[in-house]
Amino acid sequence: MTLNSPSSELALDTAATATPQPQEAIDTAGITQTYVTVHGHFYQPPRENPYLDAIERQPSAAPFHDWNERIAYECYRPNAFARIFNDSGDLVDLVNNYEFMSFNIGPTLMAWLDEHEPETYTKILEADRLSAARLNGHGNAIAQVYNHIIMPLANRRDKQTQVRWGMADFRKRFGRDPEGMWLAETAIDVETVQVLIEEGLRFVILAPSQVARCRPLPTTNQPNPDWLDVTDGQIDPARPYRCFMDDDRSRYLDVFFYDGPISGEMGFNDEILQGSRTFADRLALAVHHDDRPAQLISVATDGETFGHHKTGKEKCIAYCFRREFADRGWQVTNFGHYLSLHPPTWECILKDVTAWSCSHGVDRWQDDCGCGSGGGTQQQWRKPLRDSLNWLRDELIVIYEKYAPEVLRDPWAARNDYIDVVLDRSQDMMYRFLAEHQIGELDIERRTDALHLLEMQRHSLLMFTSCGWFFEEISRPEGTQILRYAARAIELAGIVSGINLEPEFVSRLAAALTNDPGYSDGADLYHQAVTTAKVTWGQVAAHYAIASLFNAYPERHRVYCYEADRLDYQIQRFGTLALAIGQVRLTSEISRESQHLIFAALHLGGLDFHCCIQPFRDRLTYSQLKDSLFSSLTAASTAQVILQMSRLFDGETFALNDLFAEEEYRIVQQLSRDTLTELDRLYTQVYRDNYSLIAAYRRTDRDVPPELQVAAEVALRYRFNHAVADLSRSNTKRVSALDELGAIATEAERIDCLLNVPQACLDIEAFIEATIHKLLAPHTPDDFDSIDRPAYVRELSHLIEVCQRLELIIDLNRAQESVFLTLRNGRVPNITGYVMQLAQVLRIDVARASSGNDQTAAVRLAAETLTDR
C-alpha cells in the first residue's frame, strides 16, 4: 500500500500549516523586501500519432499507458495535491503548488491534461485564478511558444505563428492575456524579441549566460551611465532589466534572469531539494544585504524536477510555500506581479543567439557541437536532419503559396488563426473559421483542400519540435516523431498538389548517420519506423470491422480521430467461424473528408483473421456480395469463404497485426481469457492436492519446488481476483469477499507467497474511492443510508490491512485527498464519528485538517503546539 510519506525535513515540524500571506503583507512598499519566485517549465513533447491524433501505448512507460500518463502520476498531479506531514507521518495539509509557483505548461501538454487528467487540469486553472486574486491580477501562469521550436532557427513567419498559437491557447484555457512567454530552451535572438514585442508580451525569462552588457537606465542626473560587461554570467539576477529594440527606445521587452547556480543545482544536484530548510538556506545565499528597496530571488528549472526527475520533491517546495519562506520574511510572488511593483531600473543588451542548454548558441539543434552527447556517440546527424527539414519546409511554402490562395483570402493570416480549429475540432468551429477565411463558398472538395493545406502547415511546424535534436540519437522516439510529422506533411502536400516530395526528402536524410546499429542512417530510419506508421482509410475500416466481431458498436462510434457511421451490419457465426459484413462511412474529424467503405471480417478462431475492404459501389453489388459470402459460410469451409472474399473484393486485405496496437492488444487479451481461466482452474487443483506438501516445505525452511510454487501463486491469485470482483456486487458478496481476502492473506503468509495482481489493485483503489465518495456524499442513495457507516469504515480498514499484509502497492492518495478536503472545507459538520475513523485509517490528522477551515482555530492550535514544544 502507498500513501505519500514524509522524508527528512519534508515533514511539518510545527502544528499548524502557514496560511497564505494577507494581501497587505504582499503589497507592502517603501521598505526593503525580499521576494522569491520558483518557476517551473512543465513540458512534454507531442507524442500523438499524426494520423490518429492520439498517443498509442508506449511500453517503455509501463505500467502506465504512455509517458504523459506516467509523468502526470509522478509529477503533474502530485504538485496539485502536494502533501505536508507531521512527524508521525499523518497528513496535515495539501498544497496546490501551482498556486504559489510561477509556471508555464506547454500547450500540447495542456491539451492532453484537459482530456486525460481533468482534475489536475482544473486545479492548474484554479491556481492561476487564485494567484491572480492574491497578486493584484497577476496570475502565476505564463504562455509558451506553441510546440517548443527553437525560435532563432525558425523563419520570421513561423516565429509569429508559434507566438500567436501559444498566446491563443493560453487565452482559451486561462481566460486572460499572458504577460510573459517561455521560449523553448530559452532560445532567443533579435528577431524573436521583435516578434514578442509586436505581439504585446511584456517579459521573458532567460539564463544569466544569455546577456552581454547591462547598465542603470539613463536619468537626468546620469544621462549616459557606463555599460557593464556581464558576458560570463555575472549579471545580478535579483532585478528585472529592460531590453530596448529601437534608437528612440519606444519598443522594449523586459527580461528576468534566473539565478543560474541555484537553478542548476535544482536540476542536477540531489542535495539542494533534500528538505525545505536546505533549499531555503541555499536561496538565502543569493539575498543582497544592501539598501535596494526590493529584490527578487528567482530560480527556474524543468517542472518535472518536482516529482518525476526527483521523487517527492513537490513536498519540499510545498512546505517552503506554506511556511519556510514566510518564516524568513520572504514574499512569494511571480514575475508579472513583481514587475508591476518594481519596474526595471536597469537595461541590458542580449547576446546575439543563445539558449540555456547549449554553450554554442543554438548549435545543439543544428550541428555536432558536443552538447547532449553521451556514451561516445556522435551527433553529426543533427545538421543533415535540420537541413532536410528546412528544405522540406521551404518546398511546402511553395506549395502553400501556390494552392492556398485559390481557397483562402489571406493564407498566412488563415494559418495564424487556424489555432482556433486546432483547439476546437467541432464542425461548428470549422465552418465559422472557413466563413471568415475562405474565398466565396467552397464545395466539399475545395473545402477539404483548404483544410489539408492548413494541416500541412501545422505538421510543418510540429516537425521542428526541439526534442528531435536534443538527445544523442536520431532514432530515439523524439527524432522518429518529428519525422512522422514530416511524413504527414509530405502526404498532405501530395494530396493537394500531386507533387511527391518524399523521395528527395528521404535521399537527403541518408546523410544523417545514426549511432543505433538497427538503422544505418536517417533514410533507413524513415523506411523502418516512419513509413510503417502511416495509416490508410482501409486500415481504419479494418480496425472497425475486426473489432466489431467483439464489440457491439452503436450507430456512430469514434475510432481515434475518425467518426464511424454504421450504415449496415450483419454478423453470422457457424461453428468456430464468425463473419461480419457491413458498410461504414468514415469521416475525419480533422479534414472532414469521408469515405464510404464496405468490409468483410472473418474470424477463423484463435488469432487468425482475414479482413477485406473496398469502396462502396452500389446497393445491388453490395447485396449480392453479402448473400454470396454468407452462403459460403454455411458450407463451413474456411477455404471456400476466403476464396469468395478474394474473388468479390478487389481492395486491401488485413489481418490482426494490421490493427492499431491498442485494439490488437485488447483482442489478444479477450481471446486468451478462456484459456487463462482453464489454466487457473488446473493450477488451483494442483495447489489443493499438494497444499500440505507445500506447507511442509515452508515449515522446514526448504525451498518449495518451482512447479508447486507457481501453482500456489496462480491459485491464490485466481481466488484473490474473484474476491476483489465480488466487492462491488452486493452487500452479502462484499462481506464474504472481505472474509475471503483475509483468508487468502493468511494463507499467502503461511506459505510465503507474493501475489502479482496489478488489475486487482486498480480495482481495489476504485472500490475504496467509490465507497468514500458515498460515505462523504451529502445525499446518499437509499440503499446506502441503511448501512452502518462505521462498520463500512471498519471494512475499508480491513481491506487496507489485507493489502499491507500482502505487500500490494495500492495508491490511496485520491481517497486521502477526498477525506482531507471534506474536512478542510467543513462539508461534514460532525467529525467525531465515522469520518474521524475514516481519517485515521487514511493517516490524516483530523484536528489540523479540520482547523484549516477556521482561521482562529488554526492560530490557536499553532500557539498551543508551540507552547507544548
Side-chain angles (χ1 to χ4, degrees):
M1 183 192 74
T2 60
L3 281 167
N4 267 325
S5 57
S7 63
S8 63
E9 298 175 43
L10 302 184
L12 180 64
D13 56 4
T14 56
T17 61
T19 54
Q21 321 297 330
Q23 189 61 54
E24 292 77 13
I26 292 177
D27 286 336
T28 297
I31 60 173
T32 300
Q33 179 65 63
T34 298
Y35 294 82
V36 61
T37 294
V38 177
H39 182 86
H41 164 51
F42 294 90
Y43 166 74
Q44 290 301 307
R47 294 187 166 97
E48 287 77 11
N49 182 315
Y51 294 86
L52 303 177
D53 203 33
I55 301 176
E56 297 179 281
R57 183 176 294 277
Q58 296 178 304
S60 61
F64 300 91
H65 177 274
D66 54 70
W67 278 101
N68 281 13
E69 186 178 287
R70 176 168 176 171
I71 298 170
Y73 177 84
E74 296 172 346
C75 172
Y76 305 136
R77 193 173 199 284
N79 275 284
F81 299 92
R83 284 159 162 73
I84 294 179
F85 301 95
N86 62 19
D87 292 334
S88 300
D90 296 327
L91 179 67
V92 298
D93 201 5
L94 288 174
V95 180
N96 185 347
N97 282 342
Y98 301 106
E99 187 181 341
F100 301 100
M101 71 190 306
S102 169
F103 66 88
N104 71 279
I105 301 181
T108 52
L109 174 57
M110 278 294 274
W112 184 90
L113 290 169
D114 186 10
E115 181 176 355
H116 298 279
E117 279 286 330
E119 189 175 15
T120 301
Y121 178 81
T122 300
K123 292 291 285 185
I124 291 169
L125 301 187
E126 177 187 74
D128 185 68
R129 288 194 298 271
L130 292 173
S131 62
R134 182 170 54 90
L135 299 172
N136 294 340
H138 301 278
N140 284 342
I142 65 171
Q144 180 200 288
V145 291
Y146 184 73
N147 64 277
H148 215 264
I149 72 168
I150 301 302
M151 293 287 276
L153 296 177
N155 61 40
R156 186 182 182 88
R157 191 182 286 125
D158 286 357
K159 286 184 174 78
Q160 185 183 66
T161 300
Q162 284 285 325
V163 171
R164 290 191 179 183
W165 282 22
M167 294 176 70
D169 185 274
F170 186 94
R171 287 190 202 98
K172 179 181 184 292
R173 302 185 189 285
F174 293 98
R176 63 179 180 85
D177 286 329
E179 296 183 80
M181 175 164 278
W182 183 268
L183 303 173
E185 306 296 333
T186 71
I188 196 166
D189 63 352
V190 171
E191 193 172 69
T192 299
V193 174
Q194 292 171 341
V195 170
L196 294 172
I197 293 171
E198 290 167 4
E199 299 304 322
L201 289 155
R202 295 183 59 201
F203 68 84
V204 291
I205 307 159
L206 301 178
S209 60
Q210 295 181 263
V211 60
R213 292 183 290 164
C214 67
R215 69 175 183 176
L217 286 173
T219 63
T220 303
N221 295 331
Q222 193 177 13
N224 191 27
D226 293 334
W227 287 98
L228 301 178
D229 184 345
V230 289
T231 305
D232 294 328
Q234 316 97 308
I235 195 165
D236 179 0
R239 59 166 62 99
Y241 296 81
R242 185 149 288 174
C243 181
F244 292 99
M245 288 306 300
D246 303 302
D247 291 339
D248 64 3
R249 303 169 71 85
S250 60
R251 297 194 308 155
Y252 57 82
L253 181 72
D254 291 337
V255 182
F256 289 91
F257 298 98
Y258 61 78
D259 188 295
I262 301 177
S263 299
E265 289 175 35
M266 291 170 67
F268 304 105
N269 185 323
D270 290 336
E271 295 180 3
I272 189 172
L273 295 174
Q274 281 300 316
S276 57
R277 190 172 299 116
T278 303
F279 182 44
D281 284 346
R282 182 64 183 89
L283 292 178
L285 296 178
V287 175
H288 293 269
H289 300 283
D290 52 25
D291 59 354
R292 65 182 73 190
Q295 58 185 305
L296 176 67
I297 308 305
S298 66
V299 292
T301 189
D302 289 340
E304 290 78 14
T305 299
F306 309 113
H308 172 57
H309 299 314
K310 298 179 183 293
T311 304
K313 299 314 177 189
E314 77 281 353
K315 303 183 190 72
C316 173
I317 60 170
Y319 188 70
C320 284
F321 292 143
R322 269 290 190 249
R323 187 62 180 267
E324 191 69 41
F325 292 163
D327 283 352
R328 295 168 187 253
W330 300 346
Q331 301 292 347
V332 176
T333 187
N334 61 48
F335 295 107
H337 177 247
Y338 188 85
L339 199 59
S340 71
L341 297 178
H342 305 284
T345 57
W346 285 60
E347 64 177 305
C348 70
I349 295 176
L350 301 178
K351 295 177 182 177
D352 289 340
V353 180
T354 56
W356 76 343
S357 52
C358 180
S359 57
H360 313 90
V362 291
D363 282 354
R364 184 170 188 161
W365 299 275
Q366 66 176 349
D367 212 340
D368 184 8
C369 70
C371 291
S373 61
T377 59
Q378 55 81 25
Q379 282 77 52
Q380 295 176 11
W381 55 269
R382 285 176 174 165
K383 187 178 189 319
L385 177 61
R386 172 66 63 176
D387 291 344
S388 299
L389 289 172
N390 283 344
W391 173 86
L392 177 59
R393 175 200 61 204
D394 294 342
E395 293 298 312
L396 295 174
I397 289 173
V398 172
I399 291 173
Y400 190 69
E401 291 186 334
K402 178 177 180 180
Y403 293 95
E406 297 176 3
V407 289
L408 299 169
R409 285 197 295 270
D410 183 338
W412 295 112
R415 187 182 79 163
N416 284 337
D417 290 346
Y418 187 60
I419 184 62
D420 295 335
V421 178
V422 175
L423 293 172
D424 179 0
R425 290 291 186 181
S426 69
Q427 198 163 343
D428 178 62
M429 173 56 74
M430 182 200 71
Y431 284 130
R432 278 190 282 145
F433 170 82
L434 288 174
E436 182 178 349
H437 291 283
Q438 68 188 0
I439 295 176
E441 286 295 323
L442 301 179
D443 58 24
I444 293 176
E445 183 178 352
R446 287 168 64 79
R447 183 187 70 198
T448 301
D449 281 346
L451 294 172
H452 277 159
L453 285 162
L454 289 162
E455 277 297 302
M456 177 190 79
Q457 280 297 314
R458 182 172 76 93
H459 285 85
S460 176
L461 293 169
L462 290 171
M463 71 188 186
F464 285 109
T465 301
S466 68
C467 313
W469 288 266
F470 188 81
F471 299 101
E472 75 283 354
E473 170 56 22
I474 186 177
S475 65
R476 278 178 56 103
E478 300 85 0
T480 303
Q481 182 72 11
I482 64 171
L483 288 177
R484 287 176 177 172
Y485 289 131
R488 180 58 174 157
I490 289 170
E491 182 177 73
L492 291 166
I495 291 172
V496 174
S497 69
I499 299 171
N500 185 7
L501 299 173
E502 189 171 66
E504 176 65 20
F505 178 68
V506 174
S507 70
R508 290 170 177 266
L509 284 177
L513 302 180
T514 73
N515 297 290
D516 187 338
Y519 309 98
S520 58
D521 52 42
D524 189 26
L525 171 66
Y526 189 92
H527 290 306
Q528 289 194 53
V530 177
T531 303
T532 55
K534 294 180 180 180
V535 174
T536 66
W537 288 95
Q539 190 174 352
V540 178
H543 174 100
Y544 177 88
I546 294 176
S548 75
L549 293 164
F550 303 92
N551 303 315
Y553 283 141
E555 287 191 9
R556 170 163 289 186
H557 176 70
R558 190 170 187 264
V559 181
Y560 291 100
C561 60
Y562 295 87
E563 295 170 0
D565 291 304
R566 187 186 67 210
L567 305 178
D568 184 65
Y569 185 80
Q570 188 175 348
I571 183 170
Q572 289 187 11
R573 303 182 189 277
F574 199 90
T576 59
L577 301 178
L579 177 64
I581 303 174
Q583 300 179 45
V584 62
R585 176 176 286 111
L586 298 174
T587 303
S588 167
E589 295 175 349
I590 295 174
S591 67
R592 304 312 303 177
E593 62 184 318
S594 65
Q595 295 265 346
H596 184 178
L597 302 166
I598 65 172
F599 61 83
L602 175 66
H603 183 203
L604 297 87
L607 300 180
D608 291 328
F609 294 84
H610 186 68
C611 180
C612 294
I613 306 292
Q614 72 181 19
F616 174 82
R617 294 192 177 96
D618 57 69
R619 291 187 179 87
L620 178 60
T621 303
Y622 171 71
S623 178
Q624 292 172 341
L625 177 149
K626 188 163 66 170
D627 290 343
S628 177
L629 286 178
F630 280 138
S631 295
S632 299
L633 182 68
T634 58
S637 169
T638 301
Q640 187 173 345
V641 176
I642 294 176
L643 186 64
Q644 277 290 81
M645 290 174 69
S646 300
R647 184 179 67 83
L648 295 171
F649 281 85
D650 55 10
E652 298 174 279
T653 60
F654 299 90
L656 181 64
N657 60 359
D658 293 311
L659 265 63
F660 306 132
E662 204 76 32
E663 188 65 18
E664 180 184 3
Y665 176 73
R666 193 191 65 78
I667 289 176
V668 169
Q669 279 190 312
Q670 191 165 340
L671 291 173
S672 63
R673 193 171 299 150
D674 291 343
T675 301
L676 292 176
T677 299
E678 183 59 31
L679 288 172
D680 285 338
R681 290 172 180 158
L682 290 173
Y683 276 113
T684 297
Q685 189 60 49
V686 172
Y687 171 66
R688 288 173 178 168
D689 292 344
N690 294 277
Y691 174 76
S692 59
L693 186 58
I694 294 172
Y697 273 105
R698 287 304 182 198
R699 279 198 310 273
T700 58
D701 283 335
R702 302 282 183 173
D703 291 336
V704 177
E707 296 84 355
L708 295 180
Q709 185 67 28
V710 169
E713 291 171 359
V714 172
L716 291 180
R717 182 177 66 220
Y718 179 64
R719 285 171 56 195
F720 190 90
N721 287 334
H722 275 269
V724 170
D726 284 342
L727 285 173
S728 302
R729 287 184 175 149
S730 68
N731 288 343
T732 303
K733 282 189 174 291
R734 185 187 74 254
V735 173
S736 61
L738 287 166
D739 291 340
E740 169 72 347
L741 290 171
I744 293 170
T746 299
E747 208 166 316
E749 289 172 331
R750 190 173 296 147
I751 62 173
D752 195 21
C753 181
L754 294 177
L755 300 186
N756 180 23
V757 285
Q759 185 57 51
C761 289
L762 294 176
D763 293 340
I764 289 171
E765 291 171 13
F767 171 76
I768 292 173
E769 290 168 23
T771 302
I772 288 175
H773 177 74
K774 291 179 182 179
L775 283 168
L776 300 179
H779 302 290
T780 55
D782 292 339
D783 63 337
F784 198 83
D785 283 336
S786 62
I787 294 175
D788 181 353
R789 294 188 179 189
Y792 228 78
V793 174
R794 288 194 295 273
E795 290 175 358
L796 289 181
S797 178
H798 172 69
L799 179 58
I800 293 171
E801 181 190 359
V802 166
C803 294
Q804 290 175 323
R805 291 168 60 191
L806 290 170
E807 300 180 31
L808 299 180
I809 299 176
I810 302 294
D811 184 355
L812 297 178
N813 287 338
R814 290 177 187 263
Q816 189 185 56
E817 290 155 11
S818 296
V819 176
F820 181 90
L821 292 174
T822 296
L823 295 169
R824 172 56 52 87
N825 297 330
R827 290 198 294 263
V828 180
N830 178 10
I831 64 170
T832 59
Y834 71 93
V835 178
M836 180 85 86
Q837 297 172 347
L838 190 58
Q840 291 171 348
V841 168
L842 294 172
R843 301 292 305 276
I844 297 171
D845 188 313
V846 176
R848 296 175 192 175
S850 57
S851 70
N853 60 60
D854 178 61
Q855 287 279 6
T856 304
V859 173
R860 183 175 62 250
L861 184 59
E864 291 171 354
T865 307
L866 289 173
T867 301
D868 292 341
R869 289 169 65 87

